Every structure is written in structure tokens, then in C-alpha cells.
Amino acid sequence: MGTDAARLEMLSALARKVLWLSSWTIHHANHIRPNTDGLKVGGHQASSASLANIMSALYFSVLRPQDRVAVKPHASPVFHAIQYLFGHQTRDKLENFRGYKGAQSYPSRTKDVDDVDFSTGSVGLGVAQTLFSSLVQDYVKAHGWMKDRPEGRMIALVGDAEMDEGNIFEALLEGWKQSLRNTWWVVDYNRQSLDAVVREGLWAKFEAMFRNFGWDVVIVKYGKLMQAAFAEPGGEALKRWIDNCPNQMYAALCFQGGAAFRKHLQDDIGDQGPVSQLIDRRSDDELLALMSNLGGHDMASMIEAFEAIDHDRPVCFIAYTIKGVGLPMQGHKDNHAGLMTVAQMEKWRAAQNIRPGHEWDRFEGLAQDPAKLEAFLAAVPFNQDGRRRLTAPEIEVPRELAFKPAAQMSTQQGFGLILNELARGDTELASRIVTTSPDVTVSTNLGAWVNRRGLFAKAENHDLFRQEKIPSAYTWEFSPNGQHIELGIAEMNLFIMLSALGLSHSINGERLLPVGTLYDPFIERGLDALNYACYQDARFMVAATPSGITLAPEGGAHQSIATPLIGIAQDGLASFEPAFVDELAVIMRWGFAHMQRESGQGEQGGGSVYLRLSTRSIEQVQRPVNAVLHHEITEGAYWLRKPGPNCDIVIAYTGAVAPEAIEAVGFIGESHRDVGLLAITSADRLHAGWTSARKLRRDRRGVQYLSHIENLLAPLSRDCGIVTVIDGHPATLGWLGSVRGNRVEALGVERFGQTGTIDDLYRHYGLDANAIIDAAESLTVGAPIRHHRKLAV
Ligand SMILES: Cc1ncc(C[n+]2csc(CCOP(=O)(O)OP(=O)(O)O)c2C)c(N)n1
Ligand SMILES: [Mg+2]
């Protein structure tokens, strides 16, 4: 693609239009749309202006349909404006920017209509998403699934202060380990963050760091006007002055304008000779235009920089920009939340020949022939393949997932056994599973799967220990066919990797079924990335194990308390905590189907799956899993012991505390014959089912529909007490009392852990059979229940 003058002129005109439309969108939301209460836009106008030119260069010229982009969150109006020019965004949604059902404040895959590739919002995550998406593309290609589709470049538009986010550095290191390709990060180097002007010389740190990780670095600092001025007599001195000018001063002068620049330049480098003449030849406006002509704001410079890349190595572009460029707030250190006044907007509108009432007209005020602009937009390479959301057919899930049974097992062990069986078989499901783990592959029981299916790497790499005949239970053979991606310890990387793998059907048109493992407490370490992955509707299964105080001797640093509540609260994630391995097999089967189901409203839609597992080996129940039980396990609960007609106490448990619950019921049963034992496999699904049933009944009066938990508890009288018990925060199950108005004693863990045996800790935290019996006693009348041994102190 040439950079001839006519083309550049067209692109520059479109970039100006993008700046106008994005600013007008923000202005409209603040000053024109009625009832903007609470919707005041902060942090958009100046940030957007900074990127308008760079994004125009990319979208109108450089990008190809296969390329994918993560847009800096606050440049969302720029993205929407570009899509509006393409005809993919409606005026209605722009007029309603940040309003109910309007264009989103931050680009959203799930909520916006204009083909957002990757959601952004929490800074740093979209950036890393592009890196992992590139690795996923490599995975798809290595497995022979790219067919004839060309490789896309994964591109992030990054704020310079966004680079402070640690997850970006974690991703960089991982990318280096995995021989990253096809990734461009374009840093909007406006030297401003939200609060402040950034440190001097930051670019040099960026440059050294990126080069250190094997990236190319392209610094786009001067626009063509500047370059031409530098070639004039005295230009060298001007260039030196620009290079030496502190960030704060440059920003302040950009805000103050041409006259201020003139004064400073004359005072600092005026020589009554060529330098002074260079400055004097320009009016104030021309001088400001020159000094604002940093590389990022110069169409020709950006196009040149992008088009010069003729390889697939990762590239970091550091493009110099001015925050708020072209707007009255440009360069001001407080401009992050800055808005233009009505008067300022009026002036700017008139200066651009935009007639009142024609602010939304796509080509209003541009000198170019509208037909030519239209033809130009229609021919933009990025747009040639139509809509960008791809789809992939569902992978069939067998009716049952098998495993080798044993009398005593933990759910973690069961997880390994189920995957081992899948690995042994040759189902399509197994071929589409990709496992990944942040250095806890073996300790989360993925070893057997990895032994059979191998590790993924673009190049073969044999297990040297094996070649040297050193005995080991694990074979670590890397190959392009491998199905396990071994990550470094960073949990943020795990979740962003799952996010990238879990969007493969939509990005690559090839479905992957990612399964990630980590220790349950470290979910909190990657929580924002987990939330991010769910927000953009990536589909994955995460097995978090070990969990809770069943990890007894490890102590408080490794025991999780809050994760069951995360499981309930996290949207897009169905959370399970089975006790027995036959339940886990049912849940995983359901999970692989759920991961492929279309997203939809409430309970019907698909999503991701969280399995909270344990290393505690417990006696397994021997039973056939019939269709009813199968259904109940996935709905979240079943009666392990049905309550009798005179039931006055129910024990409801989740997960690894099953033996204590069963034991307690045995003792309570001696004096209360009708006691019920409720096995809860998913507090999350039960709760979600209950709230959506209530909503349905409210919304459609007369509908009799009861949720699963309401049906299960229906036979209980109001006087029946419920003791809930979980190796996690008691609030996870405490709500059960509200379903039908039963009194509840909720047992669980609320304080940081101790080291000890499981028995010690269950006694200490009150999760043992005696504690359950005590709680039951407090809820019932009648004779005390016999305790099986004296409570230890
Ligand atoms: C994780 C996270 N923390 C804080 C914020 C709030 N925030 C939004 S933008 C921003 C600073 C952005 O500076 P920069 O990346 O340089 O972009 P610019 O404003 O210059 O466009 C902050 C702190 C956020 N969106 N995400
Ligand atoms: Mg910045």
C-alpha cells in the first residue's frame, strides 16, 4: 500500500473526522443527552484524542481482516467512531454512549455491537490478552487447524501508564519463553497517566526491557513537519531542545499554545540567527502545529512505521503523542477527566465547517468528495471479510466420562483419573482439550494426562532425563502436537491464557476446550484476570486444588477460605465442589458441554466452569448414577439421605467434609430418625437457580415454577433446622435458610488457618462431627444427641 499524497490526505481527513466524532460522542453524553445524572464522562476525551490518529492509521490502512486488536480502555470512543464510519456502529448507540444499552465506556466483546475483538477496561489485561492470543494462534496452527487462513497479528494499543501493570511484565516473560510471534504493542507515549506526568526517560526503560525479551522496538517520535523543520538551518538546535525538554514542560507548553512555545524557544535557543529565524518564520498557530507534530499524530510517520515491518517478530512501537491533542485541554496535567465546555465545542465545530445539526454526518466538513470517501472506506482491507466473529461447531461430549474407581479417593485424584481416561481414548473431545498450569501440573494431578498427550512447543524438545534413563514418573516431551501448555508460576498469565484459549472458536474459528489447574488459594492472585476472561465470555474449565483447610499441614498461607464465595459471585462461571469422584465425572461431562453452549440470558446460557477440589481422600459411595442423580448433581444438590416425614433436622454439606456430615447424621439419627442429609455439589448453581426462579415468578405472575433447591426443601416443615457445613466461608451455604424460612446454623472457616492434621483443624474450626451435632442440637428441641467422643479443647 503506497503512502502517496492523495492517500495520506484521505487518511488524515478520516483521522480528523474520528477525532471529531469521538469528541462529539463524549460531548453529547455530557451536555446534550438529557438526564446525564451520574453519567458524566471522565477519562475519555483527552485519552481518546491521544490515539485518534494512530488508530485511524491502523484501521483505515494497516490492519487486515485476520488481525485482532485490544484497544486502550479510554480510547473506546475512537473505536466506536471508526466503526461508525464503517457503518458497524449506530448513531443511536453513540448518542447513548455510556447510557443504558448504549455504546460501552470500554470496548466490550459482549455488550458492544461493533465487533470488539478483545474487551478492555481493567488496564493491562487486554494487552496481555493479545500476547496469549498469538500463542493460541500458534497452537491452532501447529495442530493443523489453521487451514488456509492467514496468520493474524495481535495488536494492543497501550497507554504508557498502563505499562505499570505487573501482569504485562509477567506476560512478556512468558512470551519470551514460548517464542512469541505476530504481536504488536503500540504504546501511546503521551507521558501522562490519570493523575500525573510520567517520569523522564521512561521510553528508554521500555526499549531496554522489550529488547531484552527479544522484541523489536520502533520509536516514532517526530512527525514529518518536525523532520522538515529539523532539516532547516537551525533545525538541529530545535531537535536538541525537543529532546531535552522535560515531559512536564512540554505538556505545559502544549497546553499554553504557540506563543508560550515561542517565548521558551527564544529564551532557550534563540540565537538572532538561523534558530530564531526558524521560529519567527512561523505564526503562533504554525508553531504549535509544529511542536504538536509528534510521531503518533502524524499519519505518514505512523503508516511508514507500521508498513516497514516485514517479519513476524514481536514489535513494540513507542509512539510519541500528546494527551488531548487538538483540544483545548491538550497537555494539561489534569486533563484525564477534562471535558470541553459548550462554548469550546461550538468554536471547534465552526472551525471544522461542521454545520449545527450535522454533527453526526459522517463526512460533514471534510474537503474530500463524499463519494470518494465512501469508496475509500469500502475498500479498506480490514473490512473485506465482513463481520469478524467466527464460530466453530460443537465438539461432541460422550454421555459418560469414565474413570478407574477406587474405594478411597480424593476429588483431585479423580480429576487426574478422568483426564487420564480421556487421554487414553481417541475422542474428538480429547483432541480439543488443552491443559495448562502455572508450574503446578504435577501437583494438581495433570501428570498422567501430560504423559500421554505431551507438552506443546513449536519445536520438538525431548525429555533429557528420559534419554539419560533417569527414572521419573513423568515424561516431559515437547512437540507441536502436545496438548499441555506449561506456564511459569504467574496465575494472572494462567487466566489470560485461558481467556485466549477459551475464545479460539470466535477468534480462530477452531474450538478448543481449555482446562487450567492451580492451587485454590491462588485464584485470588489471578482474580481480576479470571473476571476479565469471564467478562469477555471466554470458555474454560479451571480445576482449583487443593482447597480449604483439607490442606492442613500447609497452614494458612495455602488454605483457601473465600473462594466458594468467589464461585458464587463470579458471573459467567459455574462453580462446583463435589465430594465424590462419580459426581466429578458427571460435572466435568456437563462442564464440557456447558463450555460450548451459546451464551444467553441467565441459567440457559453457557459459560466457564470452576471445580473446587481437594486432596483429602475419602471413602466413596458405591452407587449407580442414574439420570435423576445425574441431573441433580449438575443442578447443585441431591438428598444423600432423604428426610423422613417428621424431619426436624437436615445436615447440608459441600465437598470434602462429607465424612463428617455422614458421621454426624449417623449419631443424630439415633434420636432423630427422619434426619436428612443434603449433598450440595454447587452452591453457585443452586443459588442462581433460586434467584432466577423468584425473578421469573415476580415477572410473570401466576407462573408456578420452583427452582431445584425449592423443590428439594419443599417437604421440610418450617420448624426443621438446617446445619450447613463447608470447608470454606460459611456464608456460602448460610442463605439456605431463606429459601423456605428454616433456621440455619452455618459452619465453615472464617479465620486464617493453622497447621495440623485435618482432624486437628476440623476440630479447631468446628467442622467435625461433634460441631455439627452441637449445631444440630441448638436448632432442635428434645433430648441431647449423643456425641461420639468428648470434644477436645
Ligand atoms: C486495573 C485498573 N486500575 C486503574 C484503572 C483506572 N485508570 C484508568 S486509565 C488510568 C491511567 C491511564 O494512563 P495511560 O495508560 O497513560 O493512558 P492515558 O490516560 O494517557 O490515555 C487509570 C489509572 C483502570 N482502568 N484499571
Ligand atoms: Mg498516558
Side-chain angles (χ1 to χ4, degrees), residues 43-44 46-48 50-51 72-75 106 121-125 158-165 188-196 198 321 323 335-336 528:
H44 279 96
S47 286
S48 288
S50 193
L51 264 173
K72 180 183 78 168
H74 286 96
Y106 307 107
S122 175
V123 295
L125 300 181
V158 192
D160 46 1
E162 186 169 12
M163 290 290 300
D164 286 333
E165 286 291 356
D188 173 11
Y189 196 57
N190 61 23
R191 291 148 292 141
Q192 279 190 255
S193 63
L194 195 161
D195 286 340
V198 308
T321 52
K323 191 161 169 174
N335 64 11
H336 190 79
D528 197 28

Side-chain angles (χ1 to χ4, degrees), residues 152-360:
R153 287 167 301 198
M154 304 295 163
I155 300 172
L157 297 156
V158 192
D160 46 1
E162 186 169 12
M163 290 290 300
D164 286 333
E165 286 291 356
N167 82 280
I168 294 182
F169 301 83
E170 297 174 356
L172 268 180
L173 181 55
E174 197 58 54
W176 170 75
K177 290 187 212 163
Q178 315 260 359
S179 316
L180 178 71
R181 307 183 303 137
N182 292 319
T183 304
W184 288 6
W185 288 355
V186 185
V187 180
D188 173 11
Y189 196 57
N190 61 23
R191 291 148 292 141
Q192 279 190 255
S193 63
L194 195 161
D195 286 340
V197 175
V198 308
R199 277 289 182 100
E200 298 304 321
L202 186 61
W203 64 273
K205 302 293 165 200
F206 290 164
E207 184 183 20
M209 183 178 70
F210 278 94
R211 289 204 192 282
N212 186 29
F213 286 115
W215 290 52
D216 282 20
V217 177
V218 176
I219 297 176
V220 194
K221 181 161 181 182
Y222 317 107
K224 295 293 173 194
L225 280 182
M226 279 192 176
Q227 289 172 31
F230 298 159
E232 293 175 24
E236 272 300 307
L238 176 69
K239 181 167 184 289
R240 254 196 320 277
W241 184 90
I242 291 176
D243 287 347
N244 292 330
C245 184
N247 291 339
Q248 285 231 38
M249 178 57 78
Y250 208 92
L253 293 175
C254 283
F255 175 72
Q256 291 171 296
F261 264 119
R262 183 182 308 281
K263 178 167 184 335
H264 273 260
L265 287 168
Q266 290 292 18
D267 288 354
D268 295 348
I269 53 173
D271 59 355
Q272 307 302 324
V275 180
S276 298
Q277 286 161 16
L278 187 156
I279 299 164
D280 287 343
R281 265 198 299 281
R282 289 161 169 90
S283 68
D284 284 354
D285 284 351
E286 284 166 342
L287 194 56
L288 182 62
L290 172 66
M291 301 307 273
S292 310
N293 180 240
L294 293 172
H297 301 312
D298 190 72
M299 185 56 76
S301 303
M302 285 319 302
I303 297 273
E304 233 171 70
F306 289 135
E307 290 189 347
I309 307 299
D310 57 0
H311 55 78
D312 65 4
R313 290 190 302 278
V315 187
C316 171
F317 298 89
I318 300 175
Y320 275 70
T321 52
I322 297 162
K323 191 161 169 174
V325 74
L327 310 178
M329 70 194 62
Q330 79 169 12
H332 196 290
K333 70 181 170 58
D334 304 337
N335 64 11
H336 190 79
L339 291 171
M340 283 164 79
T341 62
V342 173
Q344 284 172 330
M345 202 65 186
E346 265 303 288
K347 200 170 144 203
W348 193 40
R349 182 190 54 69
Q352 297 192 77
N353 294 324
I354 293 173
R355 292 163 294 166
H358 291 263
E359 293 86 354
W360 294 111

Side-chain angles (χ1 to χ4, degrees), residues 79-92:
F79 175 78
H80 295 312
I82 290 172
Q83 296 295 342
Y84 177 70
L85 287 175
F86 282 146
H88 295 156
Q89 179 59 283
T90 65
R91 172 173 168 179
D92 192 42

Side-chain angles (χ1 to χ4, degrees), residues 522-600:
F522 304 131
I523 281 195
E524 286 157 7
R525 181 68 165 258
L527 191 53
D528 197 28
L530 167 65
N531 179 60
Y532 173 67
C534 292
Y535 179 64
Q536 59 181 336
D537 201 26
R539 300 303 181 80
F540 53 88
M541 181 180 285
V542 60
T545 177
S547 63
I549 57 173
T550 54
L551 197 56
E554 292 280 290
H558 272 51
Q559 297 162 354
S560 55
I561 298 173
T563 48
L565 295 175
I566 292 171
I568 289 187
Q570 180 62 56
D571 192 16
L573 191 69
S575 307
F576 293 87
E577 185 167 357
F580 304 110
V581 176
D582 60 357
E583 297 168 354
L584 177 63
V586 166
I587 291 164
M588 285 177 70
R589 194 214 155 272
W590 179 90
F592 286 126
H594 184 68
M595 284 157 67
Q596 304 189 62
R597 220 164 276 145
E598 291 274 310
S599 42

